[in-house]
Amino acid sequence: MPPADAAAAQVPAGYRVEVVMRDLEHPTSVEMDDRGNLYVAEAGFSYGDPVAPARILRVTPAGEIAIVAEQLRGPINDLLWHQGRLYISHFGRISALDQSGAVTHLVTDLPVNFNHQNNQMTAGPDGKIYFGLGTMTNSGVIGLDNAYPFTDLLLWPDMRDVPARDVRLTNESFLTPQPNNVLARQGRLVDLGSNLAYAVTSLFNRNPNTSMLVRTGPFQPFGHSGARVIPGQVKANGTVLQMNPDGSNLNVYAWGFRNPYGVGWGPDGRLYATDNGYDERGSRPIANAEDNIWVVKQNAWYGWPDYSSGIPVTDPRFRSSRGPRPQFLMAEHPAVEKPLMTRPKHAAVTKFDFSRNAGFGFQGQMFLGEFGAGVPATGPDQPVVGQQVIRINPATGESATFFTARPGSLGPRGQSTSPRRGPNTPLTCGSPRTARPCTSPILAR
């Protein structure tokens, strides 16, 4: 793997890049405390590397590095310094690290899988903590994409999306092979006669524990259908949740997101969220879905699983070559919000922060990481997008690339996510008042 090289990064004139740390494993988050210490999270889980350590490093102003928390539940998706404690958003939990080194779990048992998890946190003007929680699925239905490329279905066969409000469903359901049952046949998979009989029997007997084929409804476990009303819960998917700093009084602030990866209060007093659009995968693939930047309003609904950027998914533009034209899953819809702005499909918008320092420049503007498309899982024949930090003026909608790799530092054609000297897939941005505005997993290695 080539060493990180600041010269391989490209930024506007008048700015420069430094390599602050290298040789990290899957870094996802940076945060600073009120004494100038820098905290860096090594996520732990990454697609293709589920056993990497999930831990947090502290770097003092003198450059001393120490591990301050480990054996966390990967992935660690965010860190937040608030009221003298370091808050940690990791797989299904919100925890806090106090100055004694003890980790306290404040919120547990959030509904997560390897598809999406709990994400960025932010402290509001009311002193409360807000964070995003993604969905279990691409578009509301547990399908084969939850078995591959994600392994969720093998580990949690009873998982499902949990709505934040009571949801009344249409009659939509989806027929798919049951991979666990098929794989359980082992050596009989090559027996043509046995498999033919098994397939015919499955047409009439769709027991989710034995059948080759099963039918799955929205907001229900794989192989289950027929429910018409799904009760809402507080620990719900596709939400921005709000809690007191001690973890009490957890409640739903807004719902109807797909994966609100970035959540933050702006200097203008508004709550913003970035949201990853649908993929062309699973039982209900949806094409041409852009990523969104939302202004989050309390109790508002943002459209998932039946709208994309405020547009019904029944619109012909969302028809995928990988499946039938999407139909509504919900029989009734609240008023749907419109995005502040959209980003190209599969740009994979991640976390963000705002410039709060006139000396750094662009005061009040958003700096947003874009991870880039996860081809081929997310859809066929996608252009190269993302893999940069962009600057956005929320007042005008103007955007421009701020931090990216120089063209000469890119990998071979078709392998632009390969290890390289320059920035690759930015996940987080810290306040520019630190003079270290952004981190990138590849740049930091």
Side-chain angles (χ1 to χ4, degrees):
M1 179 181 296
D5 183 357
Q10 184 169 289
V11 290
Y15 293 85
R16 63 186 176 87
V17 175
E18 298 178 41
V19 178
V20 178
M21 296 182 72
R22 54 167 54 92
D23 300 323
L24 296 165
E25 289 192 67
H26 314 304
T28 58
S29 308
V30 292
E31 181 63 309
M32 296 192 77
D33 65 18
D34 46 19
R35 297 181 180 180
N37 295 305
L38 176 70
Y39 296 87
V40 179
E42 292 185 310
F45 170 87
S46 179
Y47 304 121
D49 188 4
V51 297
R55 61 187 186 177
I56 299 170
L57 309 177
R58 181 181 62 210
V59 186
T60 69
E64 299 169 339
I65 301 174
I67 298 172
V68 294
E70 54 187 337
Q71 296 184 342
L72 299 169
R73 299 181 65 181
I76 303 170
N77 283 334
D78 196 40
L79 302 175
L80 172 70
W81 183 262
H82 181 56
Q83 297 182 355
R85 305 172 86 186
L86 184 69
Y87 288 82
I88 308 164
S89 178
H90 56 137
F91 193 80
R93 292 177 177 174
I94 303 294
S95 304
L97 173 71
D98 62 31
Q99 295 185 14
S100 71
V103 175
T104 303
H105 304 309
L106 306 177
V107 177
T108 61
D109 300 321
L110 294 169
V112 298
N113 59 15
F114 294 149
N115 220 10
H116 304 128
Q117 305 91 37
N118 42 299
N119 300 311
Q120 187 173 17
M121 303 169 289
T122 184
D126 53 4
K128 296 181 182 293
I129 293 176
Y130 299 74
F131 63 93
L133 178 59
T135 58
M136 294 277 203
T137 64
N138 173 45
S139 59
V141 183
I142 301 289
L144 293 181
D145 57 323
N146 288 103
Y148 181 83
F150 306 102
T151 57
D152 308 317
L153 191 57
L154 305 178
L155 299 173
W156 306 289
D158 295 325
M159 67 181 178
R160 64 178 181 90
D161 282 304
V162 178
R165 304 285 186 264
D166 292 354
V167 169
R168 190 163 69 86
L169 302 176
T170 63
N171 293 320
E172 284 290 290
S173 62
F174 301 83
L175 186 66
T176 53
Q178 217 301 0
N180 293 348
N181 296 342
V182 172
L183 291 173
R185 293 178 63 79
Q186 301 291 328
R188 289 179 293 168
L189 287 172
V190 297
D191 185 335
L192 179 60
S194 173
N195 284 316
L196 181 60
Y198 181 41
V200 172
T201 302
S202 294
L203 293 174
F204 303 98
N205 176 24
R206 292 181 187 153
N207 185 322
N209 297 318
T210 60
S211 177
M212 175 187 288
L213 302 171
V214 294
R215 187 169 289 278
T216 304
F219 297 99
Q220 296 166 73
F222 190 69
H224 294 263
S225 61
R228 287 294 168 260
V229 177
I230 307 296
Q233 299 180 24
V234 170
K235 293 180 180 179
N237 295 104
T239 54
V240 171
L241 298 178
Q242 176 197 61
M243 71 179 201
N244 292 330
D246 64 359
S248 64
N249 197 29
L250 182 72
N251 67 84
V252 176
Y253 190 80
W255 66 302
F257 304 94
R258 180 175 176 272
N259 187 32
Y261 199 90
V263 176
W265 287 91
D268 58 3
R270 297 194 294 180
L271 180 61
Y272 293 85
T274 59
D275 194 15
N276 303 138
Y278 302 92
D279 295 334
E280 292 185 70
R281 59 179 172 89
S283 299
R284 190 172 177 250
I286 296 176
N288 302 314
E290 296 181 306
D291 286 2
N292 297 291
I293 301 174
W294 304 101
V295 173
V296 182
K297 304 173 186 176
Q298 190 168 12
N299 297 320
W301 182 66
Y302 289 81
W304 187 91
D306 284 345
Y307 286 75
S308 176
S309 305
I311 305 166
V313 297
T314 52
D315 188 284
R317 76 185 77 179
F318 299 119
R319 171 73 183 269
S320 170
S321 61
R322 292 182 167 185
R325 180 174 171 178
Q327 301 298 317
F328 284 154
L329 302 183
M330 296 170 57
E332 300 166 344
H333 300 110
V336 64
E337 296 293 321
K338 300 286 187 182
L340 174 69
M341 63 181 296
T342 61
R343 294 296 298 160
K345 65 177 183 177
H346 305 306
V349 290
T350 56
K351 294 184 285 184
F352 60 88
D353 204 346
F354 291 86
S355 172
R356 306 172 194 270
N357 188 319
F360 182 85
F362 303 112
Q363 190 168 9
Q365 296 195 25
M366 176 188 289
F367 290 78
L368 167 65
E370 293 185 336
F371 187 86
V375 293
T378 54
D381 304 324
Q382 296 173 14
V384 176
V385 293
Q387 298 180 283
Q388 61 182 349
V389 171
I390 61 169
R391 172 183 57 79
I392 298 172
N393 186 335
T396 65
E398 174 215 359
S399 65
T401 298
F402 183 80
F403 174 74
T404 190
R406 293 187 183 279
S409 71
L410 296 173
R413 181 175 177 82
Q415 300 180 36
S416 60
T417 58
S418 301
R420 62 194 192 197
R421 298 177 295 118
N424 189 355
T425 49
L427 285 173
T428 184
C429 295
S431 172
R433 66 178 176 270
T434 67
R436 298 186 188 95
C438 302
T439 63
S440 158
I442 299 301
L443 182 64
R445 287 185 180 178

